Amino acid sequence: MSKKILVMMLIIISAISFVKQPNLNVMADEKAKIEIWSESLNERIEHRSIEVGNSNPNFSIKVTPSDTTIENVTWVTENIGVATVEGNNSTATVYGVSEGSTKLVLSALTKKYGIINYDCVISIYTKINDISGVIKKTTTLYRGADSSSWVRTEKAKVGQELTIIGSCGNYYYVKLPDNYIFDDNRSKREAYVLKSDVNIPVTDVVLDKDNIVLPVGDNSSLSTEVYPNIASNKNYNYKLSDSGVAEINNGSIKTKKEGMTVITAVADNKEASCNVSVYTPINATSGTLARNTLLYAGASEKCRVKKNDGKKGDSLKVIGKCGSYYYVEFSANYFGNNSDNKAFVPISDVYIPVERIEVSETNIIMNINQKTKINVKVYPEIATNKNVEFKVTKGKIYVNKIGEIKPIVEGESIIDVYGANGEKAHSCTVQVLKDKVIES
Protein backbone atom coordinates (compact mmCIF):
# COMPACT_ATOMS: atom_id res chain seq x y z
CA MET A 1 0.00 0.00 0.00
CA SER A 2 1.41 3.44 -0.91
CA LYS A 3 2.21 5.96 1.77
CA LYS A 4 -0.24 8.44 0.23
CA ILE A 5 -3.16 6.04 0.48
CA LEU A 6 -2.33 5.10 4.07
CA VAL A 7 -2.30 8.75 5.11
CA MET A 8 -5.69 9.36 3.53
CA MET A 9 -7.22 6.41 5.41
CA LEU A 10 -5.94 7.68 8.75
CA ILE A 11 -7.47 11.10 8.03
CA ILE A 12 -10.86 9.53 7.27
CA ILE A 13 -10.85 7.41 10.44
CA SER A 14 -9.97 10.42 12.54
CA ALA A 15 -12.77 12.43 11.02
CA ILE A 16 -15.32 9.70 11.71
CA SER A 17 -14.25 9.50 15.37
CA PHE A 18 -15.18 13.16 15.86
CA VAL A 19 -18.73 12.66 14.61
CA LYS A 20 -21.27 12.08 17.53
CA GLN A 21 -22.98 8.71 17.11
CA PRO A 22 -26.32 8.34 19.05
CA ASN A 23 -26.80 4.86 20.59
CA LEU A 24 -30.49 4.02 20.87
CA ASN A 25 -30.01 0.58 22.43
CA VAL A 26 -27.29 1.03 25.08
CA MET A 27 -27.28 3.69 27.77
CA ALA A 28 -24.40 6.16 27.30
CA ASP A 29 -24.31 6.87 31.04
CA GLU A 30 -24.39 3.96 33.51
CA LYS A 31 -26.27 6.14 36.01
CA ALA A 32 -29.20 6.62 33.71
CA LYS A 33 -32.06 4.15 34.34
CA ILE A 34 -35.81 3.79 34.18
CA GLU A 35 -38.09 1.81 36.53
CA ILE A 36 -41.74 0.84 36.74
CA TRP A 37 -42.83 2.56 39.91
CA SER A 38 -45.70 2.47 42.40
CA GLU A 39 -46.53 5.99 43.52
CA SER A 40 -48.93 4.80 46.22
CA LEU A 41 -46.35 2.47 47.79
CA ASN A 42 -43.34 4.57 46.77
CA GLU A 43 -41.43 1.52 45.60
CA ARG A 44 -40.08 -0.11 42.48
CA ILE A 45 -42.44 -2.71 40.99
CA GLU A 46 -40.75 -6.05 40.44
CA HIS A 47 -43.83 -8.28 40.60
CA ARG A 48 -47.55 -7.73 40.59
CA SER A 49 -50.46 -10.16 40.96
CA ILE A 50 -53.79 -9.41 39.28
CA GLU A 51 -56.94 -11.51 39.37
CA VAL A 52 -58.33 -12.71 36.06
CA GLY A 53 -60.81 -10.12 34.78
CA ASN A 54 -59.44 -7.34 36.99
CA SER A 55 -57.02 -4.50 36.26
CA ASN A 56 -54.32 -2.55 38.06
CA PRO A 57 -53.86 1.12 37.09
CA ASN A 58 -51.00 1.80 39.50
CA PHE A 59 -48.02 1.55 37.16
CA SER A 60 -46.00 4.70 36.70
CA ILE A 61 -42.49 5.69 35.58
CA LYS A 62 -39.42 6.76 37.53
CA VAL A 63 -36.34 7.79 35.61
CA THR A 64 -32.87 8.55 36.93
CA PRO A 65 -31.49 11.20 36.64
CA SER A 66 -34.80 12.91 37.34
CA ASP A 67 -34.18 15.67 34.82
CA THR A 68 -33.96 13.17 31.97
CA THR A 69 -36.19 14.13 29.09
CA ILE A 70 -38.35 11.27 27.81
CA GLU A 71 -39.36 11.62 24.19
CA ASN A 72 -41.46 8.48 23.81
CA VAL A 73 -42.63 5.53 25.95
CA THR A 74 -43.73 2.06 24.94
CA TRP A 75 -45.56 -0.36 27.27
CA VAL A 76 -45.97 -4.01 26.17
CA THR A 77 -46.68 -7.39 27.72
CA GLU A 78 -44.80 -10.38 26.38
CA ASN A 79 -47.97 -12.51 26.30
CA ILE A 80 -51.13 -10.61 25.47
CA GLY A 81 -53.12 -13.82 26.02
CA VAL A 82 -52.28 -13.50 29.71
CA ALA A 83 -52.30 -9.73 30.22
CA THR A 84 -52.63 -6.55 28.18
CA VAL A 85 -51.52 -3.01 28.93
CA GLU A 86 -52.60 0.52 28.05
CA GLY A 87 -50.15 3.28 28.87
CA ASN A 88 -48.75 6.72 28.07
CA ASN A 89 -45.58 8.64 28.87
CA SER A 90 -46.30 8.62 32.61
CA THR A 91 -48.68 5.79 33.67
CA ALA A 92 -50.12 2.44 32.57
CA THR A 93 -52.96 0.05 33.43
CA VAL A 94 -52.53 -3.72 33.19
CA TYR A 95 -55.52 -5.98 32.52
CA GLY A 96 -55.68 -9.62 33.60
CA VAL A 97 -56.88 -11.72 30.66
CA SER A 98 -56.23 -15.34 31.61
CA GLU A 99 -54.36 -17.38 34.19
CA GLY A 100 -50.58 -17.36 33.72
CA SER A 101 -47.39 -15.35 34.00
CA THR A 102 -45.87 -12.76 31.67
CA LYS A 103 -43.57 -9.75 31.75
CA LEU A 104 -44.54 -6.09 31.54
CA VAL A 105 -41.83 -4.30 29.55
CA LEU A 106 -41.26 -0.54 29.67
CA SER A 107 -39.10 1.08 26.95
CA ALA A 108 -38.35 4.80 26.94
CA LEU A 109 -36.59 6.82 24.29
CA THR A 110 -34.59 9.61 25.93
CA LYS A 111 -32.92 12.48 24.19
CA LYS A 112 -29.69 12.14 26.11
CA TYR A 113 -29.38 8.41 26.82
CA GLY A 114 -31.17 6.74 23.98
CA ILE A 115 -33.45 3.75 24.73
CA ILE A 116 -33.59 2.51 28.31
CA ASN A 117 -35.68 -0.49 29.42
CA TYR A 118 -37.19 -2.11 32.50
CA ASP A 119 -39.44 -5.12 33.03
CA CYS A 120 -41.37 -6.76 35.85
CA VAL A 121 -43.23 -10.06 36.31
CA ILE A 122 -47.03 -9.97 36.06
CA SER A 123 -48.89 -12.97 37.50
CA ILE A 124 -52.55 -13.34 36.52
CA TYR A 125 -54.33 -15.69 38.90
CA THR A 126 -57.73 -17.32 39.21
CA LYS A 127 -59.12 -16.72 42.66
CA ILE A 128 -59.58 -19.71 44.98
CA ASN A 129 -61.50 -19.38 48.22
CA ASP A 130 -59.00 -20.28 50.95
CA ILE A 131 -58.18 -23.98 50.63
CA SER A 132 -55.75 -25.51 53.10
CA GLY A 133 -52.63 -27.30 51.94
CA VAL A 134 -49.15 -28.34 53.08
CA ILE A 135 -45.76 -28.36 51.40
CA LYS A 136 -44.87 -31.97 50.55
CA LYS A 137 -41.25 -31.44 49.47
CA THR A 138 -38.62 -28.81 50.16
CA THR A 139 -39.36 -26.02 47.73
CA THR A 140 -38.93 -22.37 46.83
CA LEU A 141 -41.46 -19.61 47.36
CA TYR A 142 -41.44 -16.80 44.79
CA ARG A 143 -42.89 -13.31 44.57
CA GLY A 144 -44.31 -14.11 41.14
CA ALA A 145 -45.48 -17.20 39.29
CA ASP A 146 -42.18 -17.58 37.48
CA SER A 147 -38.86 -19.14 38.49
CA SER A 148 -37.13 -15.93 37.35
CA SER A 149 -39.04 -14.02 40.04
CA TRP A 150 -37.37 -12.90 43.21
CA VAL A 151 -37.18 -15.62 45.82
CA ARG A 152 -39.14 -15.11 49.02
CA THR A 153 -37.95 -18.31 50.69
CA GLU A 154 -35.36 -20.61 49.21
CA LYS A 155 -36.07 -23.75 51.21
CA ALA A 156 -39.63 -23.91 52.50
CA LYS A 157 -39.87 -27.02 54.68
CA VAL A 158 -41.95 -30.15 54.25
CA GLY A 159 -45.15 -29.98 56.28
CA GLN A 160 -45.40 -26.19 56.21
CA GLU A 161 -49.06 -25.24 56.26
CA LEU A 162 -50.41 -22.66 53.85
CA THR A 163 -53.67 -21.37 52.41
CA ILE A 164 -54.25 -21.49 48.68
CA ILE A 165 -55.87 -18.30 47.43
CA GLY A 166 -55.29 -18.57 43.69
CA SER A 167 -54.10 -20.58 40.72
CA CYS A 168 -51.61 -19.28 38.16
CA GLY A 169 -50.50 -21.82 35.57
CA ASN A 170 -48.10 -24.27 37.22
CA TYR A 171 -48.11 -22.27 40.45
CA TYR A 172 -50.46 -21.75 43.36
CA TYR A 173 -50.86 -18.29 44.81
CA VAL A 174 -50.67 -18.94 48.55
CA LYS A 175 -50.82 -17.17 51.87
CA LEU A 176 -48.49 -18.17 54.69
CA PRO A 177 -49.33 -17.98 58.41
CA ASP A 178 -48.58 -14.75 60.27
CA ASN A 179 -45.69 -16.37 62.14
CA TYR A 180 -43.89 -17.51 58.98
CA ILE A 181 -40.63 -15.63 58.35
CA PHE A 182 -39.68 -15.05 54.71
CA ASP A 183 -36.04 -14.79 53.67
CA ASP A 184 -36.70 -11.46 51.92
CA ASN A 185 -37.92 -10.00 55.25
CA ARG A 186 -41.00 -8.47 53.68
CA SER A 187 -44.16 -8.50 55.76
CA LYS A 188 -46.34 -9.47 52.81
CA ARG A 189 -47.87 -12.92 53.47
CA GLU A 190 -48.47 -14.00 49.84
CA ALA A 191 -46.16 -16.01 47.62
CA TYR A 192 -46.14 -18.44 44.69
CA VAL A 193 -45.21 -22.12 44.87
CA LEU A 194 -45.17 -24.89 42.29
CA LYS A 195 -48.40 -26.90 42.39
CA SER A 196 -46.45 -30.15 42.24
CA ASP A 197 -44.82 -29.27 45.57
CA VAL A 198 -48.10 -28.87 47.47
CA ASN A 199 -50.40 -31.50 48.91
CA ILE A 200 -54.06 -30.56 49.18
CA PRO A 201 -55.99 -33.08 51.27
CA VAL A 202 -59.57 -34.10 50.60
CA THR A 203 -61.97 -32.24 52.86
CA ASP A 204 -65.26 -33.82 51.81
CA VAL A 205 -66.89 -36.52 49.72
CA VAL A 206 -70.41 -35.82 48.46
CA LEU A 207 -72.88 -38.23 46.87
CA ASP A 208 -75.79 -37.02 44.77
CA LYS A 209 -78.15 -39.31 46.73
CA ASP A 210 -78.36 -40.39 50.36
CA ASN A 211 -81.04 -42.98 49.74
CA ILE A 212 -81.94 -45.25 46.83
CA VAL A 213 -84.98 -47.54 46.61
CA LEU A 214 -85.14 -50.17 43.88
CA PRO A 215 -86.98 -53.42 43.15
CA VAL A 216 -84.97 -56.61 42.79
CA GLY A 217 -83.21 -56.77 39.42
CA ASP A 218 -83.36 -53.04 38.70
CA ASN A 219 -80.56 -50.50 38.09
CA SER A 220 -79.63 -47.00 39.17
CA SER A 221 -76.60 -44.73 39.36
CA LEU A 222 -74.67 -42.85 42.02
CA SER A 223 -72.56 -39.75 41.35
CA THR A 224 -69.60 -38.92 43.59
CA GLU A 225 -67.79 -35.60 43.98
CA VAL A 226 -64.54 -35.12 45.90
CA TYR A 227 -63.75 -31.71 47.44
CA PRO A 228 -61.93 -29.46 47.10
CA ASN A 229 -61.84 -29.62 43.32
CA ILE A 230 -58.07 -29.10 43.44
CA ALA A 231 -57.43 -31.91 45.94
CA SER A 232 -54.12 -33.62 45.15
CA ASN A 233 -55.70 -37.07 45.08
CA LYS A 234 -59.35 -37.17 44.03
CA ASN A 235 -59.43 -40.94 43.52
CA TYR A 236 -62.17 -42.78 45.41
CA ASN A 237 -63.53 -46.28 45.75
CA TYR A 238 -66.79 -47.87 46.86
CA LYS A 239 -67.48 -50.41 49.56
CA LEU A 240 -70.79 -52.14 50.35
CA SER A 241 -72.06 -53.40 53.67
CA ASP A 242 -73.76 -56.32 51.90
CA SER A 243 -72.51 -57.10 48.40
CA GLY A 244 -75.13 -59.84 48.07
CA VAL A 245 -77.92 -57.26 47.90
CA ALA A 246 -76.42 -55.03 45.20
CA GLU A 247 -73.25 -54.25 43.31
CA ILE A 248 -71.72 -51.00 42.07
CA ASN A 249 -69.33 -50.47 39.20
CA ASN A 250 -68.14 -46.97 38.23
CA GLY A 251 -71.23 -45.53 39.88
CA SER A 252 -73.65 -47.92 38.19
CA ILE A 253 -75.78 -49.88 40.68
CA LYS A 254 -77.43 -53.23 39.99
CA THR A 255 -79.68 -54.87 42.55
CA LYS A 256 -79.45 -58.61 43.19
CA LYS A 257 -81.82 -59.63 45.99
CA GLU A 258 -84.17 -58.25 48.62
CA GLY A 259 -82.40 -56.50 51.45
CA MET A 260 -80.63 -53.40 52.66
CA THR A 261 -77.04 -52.39 51.87
CA VAL A 262 -74.98 -49.26 52.43
CA ILE A 263 -72.72 -47.96 49.66
CA THR A 264 -69.82 -45.89 51.00
CA ALA A 265 -67.54 -43.77 48.81
CA VAL A 266 -64.08 -43.37 50.35
CA ALA A 267 -61.44 -40.81 49.29
CA ASP A 268 -58.34 -39.89 51.27
CA ASN A 269 -59.93 -41.07 54.57
CA LYS A 270 -63.08 -39.03 53.94
CA GLU A 271 -66.30 -40.83 53.13
CA ALA A 272 -69.99 -40.49 52.35
CA SER A 273 -72.72 -43.13 52.38
CA CYS A 274 -75.93 -43.93 50.57
CA ASN A 275 -78.53 -46.42 51.81
CA VAL A 276 -79.86 -48.80 49.18
CA SER A 277 -83.13 -50.61 49.91
CA VAL A 278 -83.95 -53.43 47.51
CA TYR A 279 -87.55 -54.61 47.76
CA THR A 280 -89.62 -57.47 46.41
CA PRO A 281 -92.68 -55.98 44.67
CA ILE A 282 -96.12 -56.84 46.03
CA ASN A 283 -99.43 -56.27 44.28
CA ALA A 284 -100.88 -53.16 45.87
CA THR A 285 -102.60 -54.28 49.08
CA SER A 286 -104.68 -51.99 51.28
CA GLY A 287 -103.84 -51.52 54.95
CA THR A 288 -103.52 -48.99 57.75
CA LEU A 289 -100.92 -47.97 60.30
CA ALA A 290 -101.40 -50.20 63.34
CA ARG A 291 -99.95 -47.57 65.69
CA ASN A 292 -98.30 -44.16 65.70
CA THR A 293 -94.92 -44.71 64.10
CA LEU A 294 -91.92 -43.29 62.26
CA LEU A 295 -91.83 -43.55 58.49
CA TYR A 296 -88.43 -43.96 56.82
CA ALA A 297 -86.90 -43.23 53.42
CA GLY A 298 -85.18 -46.64 53.52
CA ALA A 299 -85.63 -50.05 55.05
CA SER A 300 -83.75 -49.33 58.27
CA GLU A 301 -84.13 -47.15 61.32
CA LYS A 302 -80.70 -45.73 60.38
CA CYS A 303 -82.20 -44.24 57.24
CA ARG A 304 -83.52 -40.73 56.99
CA VAL A 305 -86.92 -40.20 58.61
CA LYS A 306 -89.54 -38.98 56.12
CA LYS A 307 -92.26 -38.45 58.71
CA ASN A 308 -92.04 -38.77 62.47
CA ASP A 309 -95.78 -38.65 63.15
CA GLY A 310 -97.40 -41.35 61.09
CA LYS A 311 -100.77 -41.75 62.83
CA LYS A 312 -102.55 -44.94 63.78
CA GLY A 313 -105.29 -45.63 61.26
CA ASP A 314 -103.69 -43.73 58.37
CA SER A 315 -104.53 -45.54 55.14
CA LEU A 316 -101.85 -46.98 52.92
CA LYS A 317 -101.10 -49.55 50.26
CA VAL A 318 -98.33 -52.07 50.62
CA ILE A 319 -96.36 -52.27 47.37
CA GLY A 320 -93.21 -54.09 48.44
CA LYS A 321 -91.28 -55.89 51.14
CA CYS A 322 -87.67 -55.45 52.27
CA GLY A 323 -86.65 -57.59 55.20
CA SER A 324 -88.65 -56.55 58.25
CA TYR A 325 -90.10 -53.50 56.49
CA TYR A 326 -92.97 -52.91 54.10
CA TYR A 327 -92.57 -50.45 51.26
CA VAL A 328 -95.84 -48.54 51.32
CA GLU A 329 -97.64 -45.83 49.41
CA PHE A 330 -99.80 -43.15 51.02
CA SER A 331 -102.27 -40.71 49.55
CA ALA A 332 -100.96 -37.80 47.49
CA ASN A 333 -99.19 -35.02 49.44
CA TYR A 334 -99.02 -37.15 52.57
CA PHE A 335 -95.41 -36.02 52.99
CA GLY A 336 -95.92 -32.57 51.50
CA ASN A 337 -95.71 -31.21 47.98
CA ASN A 338 -91.96 -31.71 47.58
CA SER A 339 -91.82 -35.43 48.23
CA ASP A 340 -93.17 -38.63 46.77
CA ASN A 341 -95.81 -40.49 48.76
CA LYS A 342 -93.81 -43.67 49.47
CA ALA A 343 -91.97 -44.77 52.59
CA PHE A 344 -90.81 -47.76 54.59
CA VAL A 345 -92.52 -48.82 57.79
CA PRO A 346 -91.83 -51.78 60.08
CA ILE A 347 -94.07 -54.72 59.22
CA SER A 348 -95.20 -54.87 62.84
CA ASP A 349 -96.57 -51.32 62.52
CA VAL A 350 -98.88 -52.15 59.59
CA TYR A 351 -102.31 -53.75 59.81
CA ILE A 352 -103.54 -55.56 56.69
CA PRO A 353 -107.09 -56.88 57.03
CA VAL A 354 -108.33 -60.15 55.56
CA GLU A 355 -110.19 -59.55 52.32
CA ARG A 356 -111.57 -63.05 51.78
CA ILE A 357 -111.28 -66.66 52.91
CA GLU A 358 -111.63 -69.59 50.55
CA VAL A 359 -112.21 -73.24 51.50
CA SER A 360 -111.26 -76.20 49.31
CA GLU A 361 -114.73 -77.81 49.51
CA THR A 362 -118.10 -76.86 50.86
CA ASN A 363 -119.66 -80.35 50.64
CA ILE A 364 -117.72 -83.35 51.95
CA ILE A 365 -118.84 -87.01 51.89
CA MET A 366 -116.77 -89.42 53.97
CA ASN A 367 -116.94 -92.77 55.80
CA ILE A 368 -117.08 -92.85 59.54
CA ASN A 369 -113.64 -94.40 59.70
CA GLN A 370 -112.07 -91.77 57.45
CA LYS A 371 -110.21 -88.57 58.20
CA THR A 372 -109.98 -85.53 56.00
CA LYS A 373 -109.16 -81.85 56.17
CA ILE A 374 -110.79 -78.59 55.21
CA ASN A 375 -108.14 -76.64 53.33
CA VAL A 376 -108.39 -72.89 53.74
CA LYS A 377 -106.72 -70.00 51.91
CA VAL A 378 -106.70 -66.50 53.35
CA TYR A 379 -106.34 -63.42 51.12
CA PRO A 380 -104.31 -61.31 50.87
CA GLU A 381 -101.41 -63.58 51.65
CA ILE A 382 -99.75 -60.80 53.71
CA ALA A 383 -102.84 -60.27 55.88
CA THR A 384 -101.78 -59.42 59.41
CA ASN A 385 -103.88 -62.15 61.04
CA LYS A 386 -104.54 -65.18 58.84
CA ASN A 387 -105.91 -67.35 61.65
CA VAL A 388 -109.27 -69.06 61.09
CA GLU A 389 -111.64 -70.81 63.43
CA PHE A 390 -113.73 -73.91 62.76
CA LYS A 391 -117.02 -74.37 64.63
CA VAL A 392 -119.41 -77.35 64.46
CA THR A 393 -122.88 -75.88 64.32
CA LYS A 394 -124.79 -79.11 63.52
CA GLY A 395 -124.24 -82.82 64.13
CA LYS A 396 -121.50 -84.65 65.88
CA ILE A 397 -118.10 -84.38 64.29
CA TYR A 398 -114.66 -83.41 65.50
CA VAL A 399 -112.59 -80.68 63.84
CA ASN A 400 -109.33 -79.29 65.19
CA LYS A 401 -107.67 -75.89 64.83
CA ILE A 402 -106.14 -76.64 61.47
CA GLY A 403 -109.33 -78.03 59.94
CA GLU A 404 -108.70 -81.77 60.32
CA ILE A 405 -112.02 -83.68 60.53
CA LYS A 406 -112.73 -86.93 62.40
CA PRO A 407 -116.30 -88.31 62.29
CA ILE A 408 -117.96 -89.39 65.51
CA VAL A 409 -121.36 -90.69 64.31
CA GLU A 410 -123.14 -91.15 61.01
CA GLY A 411 -125.21 -88.34 59.59
CA GLU A 412 -124.90 -84.78 58.43
CA SER A 413 -122.83 -82.16 60.14
CA ILE A 414 -122.10 -78.52 59.39
CA ILE A 415 -118.79 -76.81 60.06
CA ASP A 416 -118.67 -73.01 59.84
CA VAL A 417 -115.39 -71.23 59.05
CA TYR A 418 -114.74 -67.86 60.73
CA GLY A 419 -112.03 -65.28 60.19
CA ALA A 420 -109.75 -63.93 62.92
CA ASN A 421 -112.17 -61.10 63.73
CA GLY A 422 -115.14 -63.44 64.08
CA GLU A 423 -116.64 -62.81 60.66
CA LYS A 424 -118.25 -65.86 59.09
CA ALA A 425 -116.57 -66.86 55.85
CA HIS A 426 -117.97 -70.21 54.73
CA SER A 427 -120.03 -73.22 55.79
CA CYS A 428 -119.02 -76.75 54.97
CA THR A 429 -121.55 -79.66 54.96
CA VAL A 430 -120.13 -83.06 55.93
CA GLN A 431 -122.02 -86.32 55.15
CA VAL A 432 -120.72 -89.21 57.25
CA LEU A 433 -121.56 -92.70 55.90
CA LYS A 434 -121.21 -96.06 57.63
CA ASP A 435 -118.51 -98.18 56.02
CA LYS A 436 -119.76 -97.51 52.55
CA VAL A 437 -117.60 -97.11 49.58
CA ILE A 438 -117.77 -93.52 48.37
CA GLU A 439 -118.20 -93.32 44.67
CA SER A 440 -115.75 -91.00 43.08
Side-chain angles (χ1 to χ4, degrees), residues 296-316:
Y296 299 93
S300 170
E301 63 180 9
K302 295 181 180 179
C303 293
R304 171 169 45 87
V305 174
K306 290 194 68 172
K307 192 177 180 70
N308 59 14
D309 60 348
K311 298 293 192 302
K312 179 180 179 179
D314 286 353
S315 297
L316 53 83

Side-chain angles (χ1 to χ4, degrees), residues 358-413:
E358 295 181 356
V359 297
S360 57
E361 294 183 71
T362 58
N363 189 23
I364 298 173
I365 301 174
M366 60 187 300
N367 289 333
I368 195 169
N369 58 353
Q370 279 186 307
K371 291 182 180 179
T372 191
K373 182 181 180 181
I374 302 175
N375 293 308
V376 176
K377 287 188 177 181
V378 178
Y379 295 94
E381 293 184 357
I382 60 171
T384 301
N385 190 345
K386 295 172 67 177
N387 294 330
V388 295
E389 184 180 1
F390 302 93
K391 292 182 179 180
V392 178
T393 56
K394 178 182 177 182
K396 291 184 178 181
I397 197 169
Y398 171 78
V399 59
N400 63 16
K401 293 181 179 180
I402 61 174
E404 293 177 336
I405 301 171
K406 182 179 180 181
I408 298 175
V409 297
E410 301 172 28
E412 182 181 271
S413 297

Side-chain angles (χ1 to χ4, degrees), residues 123-361:
S123 302
I124 308 300
Y125 68 92
T126 301
K127 185 178 180 182
I128 293 174
N129 291 325
D130 294 359
I131 294 176
S132 297
V134 295
I135 292 174
K136 66 180 181 182
K137 59 183 291 188
T138 302
T139 189
T140 301
L141 303 180
Y142 299 96
R143 293 187 190 177
D146 190 306
S147 59
S148 66
S149 300
W150 282 31
V151 173
R152 296 221 62 194
T153 295
E154 186 175 2
K155 292 183 179 180
K157 295 181 179 180
V158 175
Q160 173 62 52
E161 296 180 350
L162 46 79
T163 302
I164 298 166
I165 59 176
S167 170
C168 184
N170 294 326
Y171 291 79
Y172 280 132
Y173 190 29
V174 300
K175 185 175 182 179
L176 278 294
D178 290 342
N179 61 358
Y180 186 84
I181 299 175
F182 290 91
D183 296 342
D184 61 7
N185 293 319
R186 288 195 172 192
S187 59
K188 183 178 174 64
R189 297 287 91 202
E190 292 77 26
Y192 287 88
V193 59
L194 280 169
K195 290 179 178 180
S196 58
D197 293 346
V198 177
N199 179 60
I200 303 172
V202 172
T203 58
D204 200 9
V205 179
V206 177
L207 302 177
D208 66 332
K209 306 178 185 74
D210 68 347
N211 189 77
I212 294 175
V213 178
L214 292 170
V216 175
D218 205 351
N219 302 281
S220 186
S221 62
L222 189 63
S223 176
T224 303
E225 294 290 340
V226 176
Y227 293 96
N229 290 329
I230 60 170
S232 298
N233 185 0
K234 294 183 68 178
N235 293 330
Y236 58 87
N237 58 73
Y238 294 110
K239 59 182 182 180
L240 292 92
S241 61
D242 189 341
S243 58
V245 171
E247 61 185 20
I248 183 168
N249 184 19
N250 293 326
S252 179
I253 300 170
K254 183 177 181 179
T255 63
K256 298 160 74 174
K257 69 174 185 179
E258 177 186 317
M260 169 78 185
T261 188
V262 180
I263 297 176
T264 303
V266 183
D268 197 18
N269 295 320
K270 299 294 182 179
E271 60 182 43
S273 296
C274 175
N275 299 311
V276 180
S277 303
V278 181
Y279 68 92
T280 300
I282 293 174
N283 291 332
T285 303
S286 297
T288 59
L289 291 178
R291 57 185 62 83
N292 295 345
T293 186
L294 297 176
L295 306 176
Y296 299 93
S300 170
E301 63 180 9
K302 295 181 180 179
C303 293
R304 171 169 45 87
V305 174
K306 290 194 68 172
K307 192 177 180 70
N308 59 14
D309 60 348
K311 298 293 192 302
K312 179 180 179 179
D314 286 353
S315 297
L316 53 83
K317 288 187 178 180
V318 177
I319 58 175
K321 175 183 173 295
C322 182
S324 59
Y325 286 76
Y326 278 140
Y327 189 37
V328 301
E329 183 176 29
F330 291 91
S331 58
N333 299 324
Y334 184 80
F335 296 102
N337 294 329
N338 297 323
S339 177
D340 62 29
N341 57 344
K342 300 179 180 66
F344 284 86
V345 60
I347 290 176
S348 59
D349 291 347
V350 175
Y351 175 73
I352 302 174
V354 173
E355 294 179 0
R356 73 181 192 277
I357 299 174
E358 295 181 356
V359 297
S360 57
E361 294 183 71

Side-chain angles (χ1 to χ4, degrees), residues 3 34-35 40 51 55 64 92 99 105 122 174 191 194-195 216 267 273 323 335 368 386 403 409 416 418 433:
K3 184 177 181 180
I34 195 167
E35 298 169 310
S40 60
E51 185 180 348
S55 62
T64 305
E99 186 178 310
V105 181
I122 301 295
V174 300
L194 280 169
K195 290 179 178 180
V216 175
S273 296
F335 296 102
I368 195 169
K386 295 172 67 177
V409 297
D416 290 337
Y418 292 86
L433 307 178

